[in-house]
Amino acid sequence: MDTTTRHIKYQADCDPTFAPAIKAIPGCEKLDSCIQCGTCSGICPLSIYMDMPPRRIMNLVRYGFKREVMNSNTVWLCSACYACTVECPRQIKVTDVMYALKQMAIKERLYPKRFPMVVLANQFYKMVRHRGRMNEIHLVTRLYLLTNWFKLLEMARLGIELIRRGRFSVKPDNIERRAELHAILDYEKRYPPTEAAPK
Amino acid sequence: MTKRYTYFPGCSILGTGRACEESTRAVFAELGVELDDLEDWNCCGATAYMSVDEHKALALAARNLALADTKECPELTTPCSGCYLVLNKTQRYMEEYPRVGDKVKCALKDAGLNYTGRVRVRHMLDILVHDVGLDEVRKHVKRPLKNAKIAPYYGCQTVRPYLDFDHQHYPMTIDRLAEALGATPVHFPLKTRCCGGSQMGTLPNVAQRLCYAILREARRQGANLILSVCPLCHFNLDSYQPDIRRRFGEDVSITTMYYTQLVGLAFGMDPETLGLHRNMTWDGSWLEREVLAGATA
Amino acid sequence: MTGIPNTDGNGRRGAAGEEIRIGFYVCHCGMNIASLVDVAAVAKEAAKLPHVIVSREYKYMCSDPGQEFIMQDIRENRLNRIVVAACSPNLHESTFRGAVARGGINPYFFQMVNIREHGSWVHTDAAAATAKAIDQVRAAVARVAKHRPLERRRMEVNQAVLIVGGGIAGITAALNLADAGKKVYLVEREPTIGGHMAKYDKTFPTLDCAACILTPKMSAVREHPNITLWTYSEVTKVDGHVGKFKVTVRRKPRYIDEETCVGCLECISACVFKTPKFEDEFNEGLGKRKPIYIPFPQAVPPLVTIDPETCLKFKTGKCKSPCETVCDRKAVDFSQTEKTEEIEVGAVIVATGFKAFDVTRLPIYGYGLYDNVYTALEVERMVTSSGPTGGEITLRDGRVPKSIGIIHCVGSRDKKTNRWCSRVCCMYSLKLAHLLREHTGADVYQFYIDMRCPGKGYDEFYERMLDEGVQMIRGRAAEVTDWTMSPEEEGKLVVRVEDTLAAYVRRIPVDMVVLSTGMEPAVGADEIRRMFNISCSTEGFFLEKHPKLAPVETATAGVFIAGCCQGPKDIPDTVAQAGAAAAQALALIDKGYVEMEPNTSYIDPDDCSGCKSCIPLCPYHAIAFDEGSKKAVINEALCTGCGTCVASCPSGSISQNLFEDDQIFSEIEEVLSHV
């Protein structure tokens, strides 16, 4: 049985549109000046669980290895603590690059199914869009129902404790002027980015 | 002179982080600082919104800036470090990237709102230590917390990337505040290291390891209390100690509270008023046993 | 029109009155200009301009054939004005003026147009750059028609040289010049010469002892009859110009008579402080000194210095001053005051060195927070056998380190601190690795971004360190902390780093951390720069006149630079540069005279109202008031042609050669002709 896989990369394996798309997002413009020093990985508290250190992600993004980046768990482990952004000697906003990659992955559905981080982001997004505010209990409940509902049982202890201490707000909170919020959030729907926005 | 700020509570404050707000309001009222609530504020978007859509994330947060823009006091303050970061970042990106800023402003205008850019986002810790001042804080101390050995935990988003009133890697603001309360800050190398944030919900093994390191190190450095700033950090450090003990087979239990709760205790306030009973690690006898015993003599 | 050209004082053609015949030349500068500016179009347009007889383009105008074109055209076409459109006049104005003069006309019948630095290098639109070049050429052609013949002046040059800074660069330059028979004033801010090099133990890559090669040179400076050495002194004022600088030097009181003290050091033993108590600057604070001290035993001059900040005599007035009584030569003198010396020199070499990066700016590396984090300079002192620990490597708690981490690029290659590479840190880190292993047998880790070892024998040294078992970890150390995750980390400092070649984040526990700091401009570099009128790059290092072809000259004639004040460099490069600066200074002064540009100002006495307003404005004190005629007079020898007086004269009586009103206005008119 032959289990070896090809590890060479041909230029055709790279996606030339990948880096320009990421660099166009605010905060990611300095990506090319990375010197691969590894400060981002060294300072990252989550790097211990990443399959690729952030430094490697930077290099893979700038040279178009989209598939490899999107298959990595690195961006989904980023908790946006900004340590890399602050310490980078080239002042690359690494956190923003991670955000840009998450946005791209979500838009193009390039993430592992039921990946809790994505589910959380999507549920959060929907809830805030709907109500204007986030309710932690509802959010976590939805997260576990969609990913691993056994977890809900595990969380019972914590839930009871929270109720006992008056920290469990069951009633979802809504803002009053929801129409105003929707007008803001739907701006792109009315004026798609390709068309010139009105002055 | 009464100081007045526009106040943005943030979603956590309405639920699990209630004690943060209770203690913040109590302490600032005692110090004569008026907090003028921002009406009909919405969620700042936290880390999740930015993961989905950049424009929408900025526009969402910018609604709050536009609301604050109409207020008499342009200084917008929030007790939550996550909200502090997101509002701050939104404001800065709108200036730094005019293309982005203009689009967000157009979206606001479409909804009948206007943002002029006069709002300044400030952290409550900054206001307490720099606007009110440690001298003023000292004047209100009725109960010096002599035996409290504090591991000051700033967390990540308080200091990064925008902290301008202290150093980002090894800040000393809470340390100095703790000293003003009569307590002793310990050297705490993990004071700005991330607790895992929302990963506690999505990847608990990951976030619990980060919290484990923080709790363990606080004890190792001789602290009997971790002071935190942000509701999410506090939630992670305070609520998961039993889970962490089980997962890592090591007792890392240590009392945790918001810095505002400690300030309130030093001011002689009632623990209930400060919401201390809402903390999982709070034990009514802690103050007497660990802090005040022998100190008053 | 006479048909017979008038001649200038040297028999060269080109005086007022004759028919104006202009030759125009545009240079391709290889592809530097021609890649953007359409040089053929420029030549074609120039040919249409009034008085232009010849218009040519050529690949390299500055080359011999290029210059030959000009000379030949002058002869064959009876040209009497030349315009060249090429690079900056800073680079080749003198080249072309020479060609013009050799062709037989006055060299000031020449105008240069910069279409490279002002054109092709800064623009991206070819058509616009070409149009701009044509405008510039039109202006120059109009201007050159108004030029008048001028003569350069000769001025005598003072034969002494001032050297500022007594590190290895200043020492080398001083000895070279003094050996050539020139008088040298060497001014050093610290109590001893030797600079940073005196603090080092061994030098890379040969590992020869720094003191063994430096101290003989220091003594040679002291003994050289042509060198006046002023230590503990600073330059405070500079007047004049090339050939004749007037320099004021402030000599701080060291409260010791330099003539009588023989450096027996009895006074130090006698001091009321029985044990040294104050931070020893020479030992980077690792050792202590007394208020009366000598930086190190081989200091030059071998004189003690009293520090009034810590001496009880100065602080309280209540000291029996045993230092004074014990000195049988009566050299201790508490009444000494600051002295001022005024000297005149023909040339200056600035060699003010560098300052090591202040590591407290990077708290991630824990300096000051953790006892066992050291700077490289501290370790350098520690490994020196004559240093504060006698060559013992012991941590602040007395332990001998079993593992050591050396962090590269501290304050270098970092946009938040210093953007530049300091060039020496990789090599000195490797050297320290060797010395630390030799002294302690410890495991040594190098945390580096890129190992930069270009230099003779440098890469071989890197290879030797690999063979010696120094562990090389490619990754910028992210932080140094004392928190632990495992028992083997207890009591250690932990360096967290991504080993980028292995692609793993690693936690490496060590007993000692060494921070390899980069170089920054020296403290006070800015004042020095202002006094000597030297430009600097954005990072603050002094700017050479040309990065390749004039590396030790500055924009100010007669002022040369050497060593790390110009940019980070190692000892071999510093010594080479100091030698070059000495040779340049020597070439300047040994000739005996300098030729001054004739673009000086002059006063029309008929129009001068004698208001004296120009006199205080002149930065070079070149204008005086003649009490007899009640008019201002300009001393041509002092005038540098800055034009300040011309612009300020209320009666318009001051003009300037080469910048006459008609010349400037005709230039402006042409540039703006299509507005």
Side-chain angles (χ1 to χ4, degrees), chain A residues 36 63 91 133 149:
Chain A
Q36 292 286 297
Y63 297 134
Q91 297 182 319
R133 286 183 195 163
W149 61 270

Side-chain angles (χ1 to χ4, degrees), chain A residues 59-98:
Chain A
N59 213 38
L60 292 173
V61 172
R62 102 178 137 178
Y63 297 134
F65 293 92
K66 185 168 177 177
R67 196 180 325 132
E68 289 72 10
V69 171
M70 291 299 170
N71 279 334
S72 151
N73 72 8
T74 299
V75 292
W76 301 110
L77 278 159
C78 171
S79 302
C81 81
Y82 290 87
C84 46
T85 299
V86 166
E87 299 303 338
C88 174
R90 294 287 138 158
Q91 297 182 319
I92 299 168
K93 294 173 182 166
V94 183
T95 313
D96 286 353
V97 177
M98 293 295 167

Side-chain angles (χ1 to χ4, degrees), chain C residues 371-541:
Chain C
D371 277 350
N372 297 336
V373 179
Y374 293 85
T375 68
L377 263 183
E378 287 172 344
V379 176
E380 199 77 59
R381 290 311 298 149
M382 222 194 277
V383 289
T384 311
S385 53
S386 61
T389 57
E392 295 284 315
I393 308 297
T394 45
L395 299 170
R396 289 193 170 96
D397 58 13
R399 282 183 302 144
V400 174
K402 290 195 178 67
S403 51
I404 300 169
I406 301 181
I407 299 178
H408 289 221
C409 297
V410 177
S412 299
R413 303 186 69 195
D414 180 354
K415 285 184 178 169
K416 298 186 299 326
T417 54
N418 296 330
R419 163 70 193 79
W420 58 90
C421 164
S422 291
R423 283 185 65 193
V424 295
C425 323
C426 284
M427 281 304 291
Y428 82 58
S429 300
L430 291 172
K431 175 196 74 181
L432 288 176
H434 171 83
L435 296 175
L436 288 168
R437 277 179 69 80
E438 192 179 64
H439 282 65
T440 64
D443 289 331
V444 178
Y445 301 89
Q446 299 268 342
F447 302 100
Y448 69 97
I449 305 177
D450 293 301
M451 195 61 82
R452 295 186 169 173
C453 308
K456 198 169 174 180
Y458 289 11
D459 201 62
E460 292 87 331
F461 189 76
Y462 170 47
E463 198 181 312
R464 177 174 163 192
M465 289 310 106
L466 285 168
D467 291 343
E468 282 185 11
V470 175
Q471 298 193 46
M472 309 287 179
I473 297 177
R474 192 202 170 276
R476 183 173 174 270
E479 60 175 356
V480 175
T481 58
D482 69 344
W483 67 277
T484 62
M485 278 308 280
S486 58
E488 79 270 9
E489 293 178 352
E490 284 296 334
K492 303 260 184 183
L493 292 170
V494 177
V495 181
R496 199 173 195 271
V497 63
E498 185 195 352
D499 184 335
T500 61
L501 299 179
Y504 286 122
V505 173
R506 295 174 65 180
R507 286 175 60 89
I508 297 178
V510 292
D511 293 318
M512 180 189 200
V513 168
V514 182
L515 304 179
S516 295
T517 51
M519 290 178 175
E520 287 182 348
V523 177
D526 225 35
E527 288 100 84
I528 290 283
R529 190 174 74 72
R530 264 192 283 273
M531 274 192 285
F532 289 102
N533 198 17
I534 308 173
S535 319
C536 72
S537 49
T538 45
E539 53 266 32
F541 291 111

Side-chain angles (χ1 to χ4, degrees), chain C residues 156-227:
Chain C
E156 203 188 318
V157 170
N158 187 299
Q159 293 297 296
V161 178
L162 165 71
I163 297 175
V164 189
I168 184 59
I171 290 172
T172 305
L175 290 173
N176 284 350
L177 285 163
D179 284 347
K182 300 299 172 190
K183 170 79 198 159
V184 172
Y185 295 95
L186 180 57
V187 176
E188 166 58 48
R189 180 165 58 185
E190 301 297 325
T192 176
I193 56 169
H196 277 100
M197 188 176 170
K199 297 185 177 186
Y200 303 154
D201 178 38
K202 288 181 177 163
T203 55
F204 60 77
T206 45
L207 295 177
D208 40 358
C209 148
C212 312
I213 57 177
L214 179 67
T215 49
K217 283 192 171 278
M218 290 165 62
S219 316
V221 166
R222 184 163 70 99
E223 281 150 22
H224 209 296
N226 289 344
I227 300 177

Side-chain angles (χ1 to χ4, degrees), chain C residues 523-583:
Chain C
V523 177
D526 225 35
E527 288 100 84
I528 290 283
R529 190 174 74 72
R530 264 192 283 273
M531 274 192 285
F532 289 102
N533 198 17
I534 308 173
S535 319
C536 72
S537 49
T538 45
E539 53 266 32
F541 291 111
F542 298 156
L543 203 62
E544 60 282 3
K545 192 173 174 187
H546 188 278
K548 281 121 196 154
L549 302 178
V552 298
E553 290 170 68
T554 66
T556 304
V559 176
F560 304 95
I561 47 178
C564 291
C565 66
Q566 181 260 348
K569 56 178 65 66
D570 56 20
I571 295 168
D573 283 6
T574 296
V575 171
Q577 206 180 25

